[in-house]
Structure formats: C-alpha cells, structure tokens
Amino acid sequence: MVQLVGSLRKELADSLSACRVLVVGAGGIGCELLKNLVLTGFKNIEVIDLDTIDVSNLNRQFLFQKKHVGKSKAQVAKESVLQFCPTANITAYHDSIMNPEYNVEFFRNFMLVMNALDNRAARNHVNRMCLAADIPLIESGTAGYLGQVTVIKKGLTECYECQPKPTQKTFPGCTIRNTPSEPIHCIVWAKYLFNQLFGEEDADQEVSPDTADPELTWNPADTEARATASDQDGDIKRVSTKDWARSTGYDTVKLFNKLFKDDIQYLLTMDKLWKKRKAPLPLDWLEIQKLACPQEVTGTGLKDQQVLGVAGYSQLFSRSVETLRSMLADKGDGAELVWDKDDPPAMDFVTAAANLRMHIFSMNMKSRFDIKSMAGNIIPAIATTNAVIAGLIVLEALKILSGDVEQCRTIFLNKQPNPRKKLLVPCALDPPSANCYVCASKPEVTVKLNVHKTLVLALQDKILKEKFGMVAPDVQIEDGKGTILISSEEGETEANNSKFLSDFGIRHGSRLQVDDFLQDYTLLVNVIHCEDLEKDVEFEVVGDAPDKAPTPPSAQEDKNVANGNKDSAEPSTSSKGELSNNQKSWSESGGHKRKLHDAETGEASAKRQRLDQPLAADEEDDDIIALD
C-alpha cells in the first residue's frame, strides 16, 4: 500500500523537504511560485531578485502590500511566504543573478533551478549557468493570456538559446524611463506619454525618471528610502501628469522643456547609470528654434518614409499637442483620448516624442512609417496567467524529483482552446540543436562586420555582451601569437577599446576565441569582413546558427583542427561520448532524448512549431514593459 503525506507519496514528500531549490525572480510568476512551493512541501528554498516593490506591482504580486513599497521583492516575498509555512528554510538575496559571486559552484548547490524572470539577458545567463553546472532548469514566461513552461537539461533537451528568439517586446520599466538603448524603448515611452497627457492614466505607464531604479544602489535601505520619501506608510503620492499639463494649458514649450530638458537633467544626476553608458543630451526649446532648420529631412520617397531633423520633430510635437488638446477640449471635462496608430494626430505625437527621445539618447531617428510599424499594442500582465504558469512549474518539478522525467513536457497556455478544446497544450521536449552557439559541444558563430569601422569596445559591448549574452568576456585572437584583444580584468586592455579590429590584424577569415569564465562558456567567433552592410547596421550574425568563415591560413587551420574546432556542427567523438554519458545518467531517472509524441493529443512533436508560434511573437515576459 502506498504511503501518502498529504497528496504526495512519502518518498516524494521526503525528497521535497530535503532538496534545495533556487527561484530566480520574485515578481508576478515568482510570488505565485514561492507560495506554491511551500504549500507543496518544499522546505529549502533560495530566492534572488534585484528589484524593489513598486505601487504598480500590487494588483498582481499578492505577497506585497502597500506598506512594502520600496522594499526588496525577494526579502518581502520570503517574509510573506513564511506565514504560509513558518518551518520552511528560505534565503533571500536582494541582488542580481548576474553578479559574479553567483558562479557555477553556487548553482551546483541546488537540485533544481526555476526561472521567473522578466528579461532575456538574465534568462540567457541562468541558462548557461545551469548548463555549466549540469542542473535541471525549469524556464517559464507569460505574455498577457499566453504562457509557457519548459524543462531544460544539459545534453537531453534544447537549451533556452537553441532557437532564435524574436525581438523582445517587453522591457523593465527602469529601461523605458531611465536608460533606453533601442528605438522601441523610446516608442513605448512616447505611447505611455500620450496616455499620461491625453488618455487613461495608468501607474504602470509612468514616464518620469525612476528614482527607485535598482541599478542606482546596491543598498536596499537607500532604495526603500527614496521610493517612500513622500509618505512613510508607502502610499506614494504622485502628481498627475495630465493635471499638471492642464494647469499649464498644455503649453507646448513648458511640456517640451519638462520632458526633454528638465527630466533629462535630472537623469544626469543619477551618475551611476552613466558610468558604462553614454549620457543623454538635454534639449532646450529656444536653442533648437534658434539653431536648426525645421525643413531639414533625410531619406527619399514618400513623406512617411522621411526622417526630419530635431527642429522638424520639435515643430511636429508642438502641432500635435495643440491638435490633441483641442480634441480633448471638444470632448468635455473628464474626457479621454485613445491612442490609435491610424489616428494622424496621435501618430504625429508619438513619432515626434519618440524621435526627440532617440536623439537625446544618441540613437538614429526613425521615419513615421518605421515607428508606426513598431508601435504594436502593449500586452497587459494577467495575474491568472501567472498563477497557472506557476502551478505548471511545480508540476514539472515534481516529475523531475520523482524520477518521471519521461513525463516532462513543454506546456503552452493558449488564449483560446485548440481544435481539441484544450487551453493547456503539452508538447514533447526537443533534443539539443547541433548548431546552438551555447550548448553545442564546440560553440561557434560567424559574424559579418567591417573590421576597419568596428571598434574593440563595440565588439565587447554590442556583439559579445548584448548579442551573445556574455557577462565578462576575454577575447584572444587566433593569430599564432595568442594576442589578447579584450580582458575581463579591469584596466588590462582598456587602451584597446578605442581602436579598430583591423589595427590588431583582424581581417576576413580571422577567428577569435572568447571565454566567459563566470558562465564557464567558450565561443569561437569567425569574422567575415564586409563593407556593404545596410545603413545603421554595425554587424550581422550569419544564419540562425554558426556558418563557416572562409578557411584561414594553413598553419592556423592545422591549429584549429588539432583543437577540434574545425566544424562545430559535427561534435567530436569524445564529445559524443560525453553526451552519451549524460544521456545515460539522466535516463536512469527516466529521461529520453528521442522526440516523443504528445501524450495528450497523440500528435507528433513536429506539430509543436505551429503551437509555438502564437507565443513566440510575444515571447517575453512575466511582467510587461513598465510593470517591473
């Protein structure tokens, strides 16, 4: 007779109480997940989150209350969850999981890692750390009513980075408000500004500088003090942007200088934000009108495909504000406008505001046509979706810990039932991609760039860190001399940053060995020199996975063959042997590498691609844009 502890077999219940698990993220999914874990019987939990609690979190992150605003999410989540189960042993870290102290050895302390994150960079990093530590990872995400849970295990399943990801459509609020780095950040900000001035105000769509940005301090007390400075009980008193604008009569000059001068000057006082970023440049209305020509345009073709100058967008901002003010007045007191990309005044406003902000943050401005195509609808965060996904994470965790790994699935939560009338659609886990530049036996990638125009700093920041998700890369040129191009040791190669790649003999066919010791990750980069990249494109990754660069000189090729790096798409015999060993050890717990049929529907896992598409378009994230 099977002995039960609650609803679980005694053996499994004992395993839960003894195992040590890590939860990364204590936001929308994280709150639900932590509650589920302690109520299921997990006793040893560690949770890490860099973020602090904002007023806008309180409608769905139920572990937090008004009095907690400004405090550490991880710490408050721990305190709240202990009320469900006082005997649980929970450790909370108010920190970034990308901090070097959370290294491979740290990850090896856990039997299981569960992600509840809201950004791709951290997801990529945790994926690599779990691969390096050979620890199972349960990945998850939500986007409105859509959700997904999957299991990642080294050597047996796809890793998080095996498949190319669509452009991220959700971003942390502090990125939108403080440190935009892409045009889409400025477009989202401009849409929020429209609602703050003319539409329905939403605490999740604040546009003023975020003084509680977690990057500003590593001291939780300082962050809490700033966030609660206006009211000790945590009830933040916010001045309505719309009320302020009305009090000025929607004066375009005052609006302009407040948004593009005063707020930017305030951001500049947050000096920690600009130590490794280019600082923004404030705009002044009178100076722009004196110095620039409003008729300045770039580009040819239709009017919507032209890019105006700063003065032109300043005038467009002024005209659109006047038009929208009149439209709002015509509707009467208490009226609101609804942003619609097909409404010319609304589109003029967003185009002008977004481009002015792009210019301030040193980005190339975009045409009205480009902005209209990028300005899609903002996806709301749904508390119920978070709850469903958190429950599915625990179910997958139970399968892993009970040894029923063959039952693990990727599970999609759909907005509408599929033809079989199911909202939850399980699919078989796919095996690793042989061409993945992260989990392949010999990760390799090909990058097309202009070696005479690409700076070493751009290689480090834009290609290795931003594109390939590295944290502290070291780069060595495979030139027979072992030239160190980039070192993660501070100051060691700083003098190289302002030099071009060609200054170090890098040319068409050169190969760079890149190591990130924190992630225990090595990547071979093949360089293709190209002088005819598209306008504003600094580099391209060739193909979805590594392609071969032209064959280097024979001596270099001999060296690469000896190192087993000649063809990453074909693992060496030894690496296949390692994969087999991994399979064996995981199979002893019931795992299978082959593609399984969908246990629920009987459909082959090839169907997964169709099921995957709706979520892929909105793949990111737990909390949407300005929520967390």
Side-chain angles (χ1 to χ4, degrees):
M1 184 174 180
V2 178
Q3 188 177 357
L4 297 178
V5 176
S7 60
L8 302 176
R9 299 190 319 274
K10 185 178 185 304
E11 296 84 354
L12 179 56
D14 291 343
S15 177
L16 298 192
S17 63
C19 76
R20 191 175 174 189
V21 298
L22 174 65
V23 175
V24 187
I29 292 177
C31 282
E32 296 282 351
L33 177 57
L34 288 167
K35 176 261 296 180
N36 289 349
L37 289 174
V38 296
L39 293 180
T40 304
F42 287 84
K43 298 292 185 182
N44 299 291
I45 304 168
E46 299 191 20
V47 57
I48 183 168
D49 196 311
L50 173 63
D51 210 355
T52 54
I53 299 163
D54 187 74
V55 173
S56 63
N57 301 145
L58 303 183
N59 71 334
R60 66 196 176 283
Q61 297 175 20
F62 74 100
L63 296 181
F64 311 141
Q65 300 174 28
K66 186 170 62 175
K67 64 183 179 182
H68 296 137
V69 168
K71 295 182 179 180
S72 161
K73 284 187 175 182
Q75 187 61 40
V76 174
K78 167 190 170 179
E79 295 167 1
S80 299
V81 167
L82 285 175
Q83 297 180 39
F84 290 92
C85 182
T87 60
N89 177 27
I90 303 176
T91 303
Y93 303 92
H94 178 72
D95 208 345
S96 168
I97 193 61
M98 299 174 76
N99 189 316
E101 72 179 82
Y102 306 110
N103 54 22
V104 175
E105 291 305 314
F106 172 80
F107 276 80
R108 285 182 178 144
N109 292 324
F110 305 100
M111 288 187 66
L112 181 64
V113 177
M114 290 164 273
N115 265 355
L117 286 163
D118 66 353
N119 71 90
R120 186 173 298 162
R123 280 185 165 123
N124 289 344
H125 180 71
V126 174
N127 173 61
R128 296 177 188 191
M129 299 305 287
C130 288
L131 290 172
D134 200 5
I135 301 297
L137 168 65
I138 302 179
E139 179 58 77
S140 64
T142 63
Y145 293 100
L146 303 176
Q148 180 178 349
V149 174
T150 193
V151 174
I152 296 170
K153 173 61 181 173
K154 181 179 180 180
L156 294 184
T157 72
E158 283 186 338
C159 78
Y160 179 71
E161 299 171 80
C162 271
Q163 298 297 334
K165 298 294 187 294
T167 302
Q168 183 175 349
K169 293 194 175 183
T170 58
F171 311 94
C174 53
T175 300
I176 300 298
R177 295 165 63 181
N178 290 2
T179 55
S181 58
E182 301 174 23
I184 187 63
H185 299 159
C186 300
I187 294 169
V188 170
W189 179 88
K191 289 181 64 178
Y192 285 177
L193 178 62
F194 176 92
N195 285 336
Q196 292 289 322
L197 291 175
F198 308 107
E200 180 180 1
E201 292 182 279
D202 186 335
D204 288 341
Q205 298 185 357
E206 182 57 66
V207 294
S208 299
D210 182 5
T211 57
D213 190 326
E215 266 197 79
L216 293 176
T217 178
W218 289 95
N219 186 337
D222 291 347
T223 303
E224 178 185 348
R226 282 203 310 272
T228 59
S230 65
D231 197 325
Q232 291 303 310
D233 70 358
D235 187 9
I236 304 298
K237 290 182 172 64
R238 300 178 185 271
V239 176
S240 166
T241 303
K242 186 182 293 183
D243 288 345
W244 175 81
R246 282 175 173 164
S247 71
T248 70
Y250 284 94
D251 186 296
T252 54
V253 176
K254 290 181 179 179
L255 278 174
F256 185 97
N257 284 334
K258 192 269 183 192
L259 295 166
F260 305 115
K261 178 183 176 184
D262 299 342
D263 282 357
I264 303 304
Q265 289 176 336
Y266 185 75
L267 279 176
L268 290 171
T269 66
M270 304 179 187
D271 54 344
K272 286 188 178 182
L273 294 178
W274 316 115
K275 286 185 177 180
K276 296 184 179 180
R277 296 184 179 93
K278 186 173 181 179
L281 301 172
L283 294 176
D284 181 88
W285 174 268
L286 291 178
E287 289 182 6
I288 290 172
Q289 306 314 309
K290 290 177 183 176
L291 299 176
C293 172
Q295 301 304 317
E296 177 189 358
V297 296
T298 60
T300 58
L302 299 175
K303 183 178 179 181
D304 277 6
Q305 295 177 329
Q306 296 177 343
V307 179
L308 307 180
V310 174
Y313 284 123
S314 300
Q315 293 297 332
L316 183 62
F317 177 83
S318 176
R319 292 195 301 271
S320 62
V321 168
E322 286 293 331
T323 303
L324 293 168
R325 179 193 63 77
S326 299
M327 292 170 62
L328 195 61
D330 291 344
K331 287 196 169 192
D333 293 340
E336 296 171 345
L337 301 180
V338 177
W339 189 83
D340 184 343
K341 64 182 179 181
D342 295 318
D343 178 32
M347 195 62 231
D348 284 346
F349 177 85
V350 168
T351 299
N355 272 309
L356 291 168
R357 192 163 173 89
M358 285 181 219
H359 178 81
I360 287 169
F361 286 91
S362 303
M363 296 176 227
N364 292 320
M365 294 187 289
K366 299 289 183 180
S367 69
R368 177 192 173 103
F369 177 85
D370 288 336
I371 289 178
K372 186 174 182 178
S373 67
M374 296 170 72
N377 293 324
I378 303 305
I379 307 165
I382 308 295
T384 312
T385 309
N386 292 337
V388 172
I389 292 302
L392 293 172
I393 293 172
V394 175
L395 291 177
E396 294 304 303
L398 293 178
K399 295 175 187 177
I400 293 172
L401 295 174
S402 63
D404 294 330
V405 182
E406 70 278 3
Q407 299 299 322
C408 285
R409 295 287 186 270
T410 292
I411 305 173
F412 297 95
L413 171 62
N414 294 328
K415 187 175 182 179
Q416 297 177 335
N418 68 0
R420 294 177 179 269
K421 300 182 179 179
K422 292 185 178 181
L423 286 173
L424 292 175
V425 181
C427 299
L429 297 172
D430 286 335
S433 167
N435 289 331
C436 178
Y437 63 76
V438 174
C439 68
S441 59
K442 300 290 182 182
E444 188 169 350
V445 71
T446 298
V447 178
K448 183 188 296 184
L449 49 77
N450 189 328
V451 297
H452 303 300
K453 294 183 178 180
T454 302
L455 296 173
V456 172
L457 184 62
L459 171 68
Q460 173 185 279
D461 291 347
K462 295 187 178 181
I463 300 178
L464 300 179
K465 289 186 177 180
E466 187 175 320
K467 177 65 180 177
F468 294 126
M470 294 187 173
V471 177
D474 292 280
V475 181
Q476 178 178 315
I477 306 172
E478 291 196 347
D479 56 1
K481 306 173 190 175
T483 303
I484 303 298
L485 185 66
I486 297 171
S487 172
S488 57
E489 294 294 329
E490 188 172 352
E492 194 169 299
T493 56
E494 195 171 324
N496 295 347
N497 289 346
S498 59
K499 298 180 181 179
F500 296 106
L501 299 186
S502 58
D503 294 337
F504 297 89
I506 297 173
R507 61 184 191 278
H508 190 70
S510 291
R511 293 156 72 90
L512 310 176
Q513 180 171 313
V514 187
D515 295 288
D516 190 319
F517 294 105
L518 172 62
Q519 297 179 341
D520 195 16
Y521 173 48
T522 299
L523 177 67
L524 187 66
V525 178
N526 298 303
V527 176
I528 291 182
H529 173 63
C530 179
E531 297 186 355
D532 56 355
L533 291 169
E534 293 183 17
K535 183 181 178 183
D536 299 332
V537 174
E538 295 183 59
F539 68 93
E540 291 179 2
V541 177
V542 180
D544 293 337
D547 285 339
K548 296 292 112 184
T551 305
S554 58
Q556 184 68 36
E557 181 176 78
D558 291 341
K559 177 182 176 182
N560 292 331
V561 172
N563 287 338
N565 285 337
K566 187 176 181 183
D567 191 343
S568 67
E570 293 295 329
S572 67
T573 304
S574 61
S575 66
K576 284 183 178 178
E578 291 170 3
L579 186 62
S580 177
N581 290 337
N582 287 338
Q583 286 177 326
K584 180 179 179 182
S585 63
W586 193 241
S587 295
E588 288 170 357
S589 300
H592 294 280
K593 183 174 183 293
R594 63 186 176 83
K595 288 190 177 182
L596 302 174
H597 284 258
D598 184 334
E600 293 289 328
T601 65
E603 297 174 8
S605 61
K607 294 274 188 180
R608 176 177 173 176
Q609 295 304 318
R610 289 205 297 268
L611 294 170
D612 191 58
Q613 293 308 310
L615 187 57
D618 302 303
E619 190 265 348
E620 307 276 341
D621 274 309
D622 165 12
D623 289 322
I624 304 302
I625 300 181
L627 304 185
D628 293 313

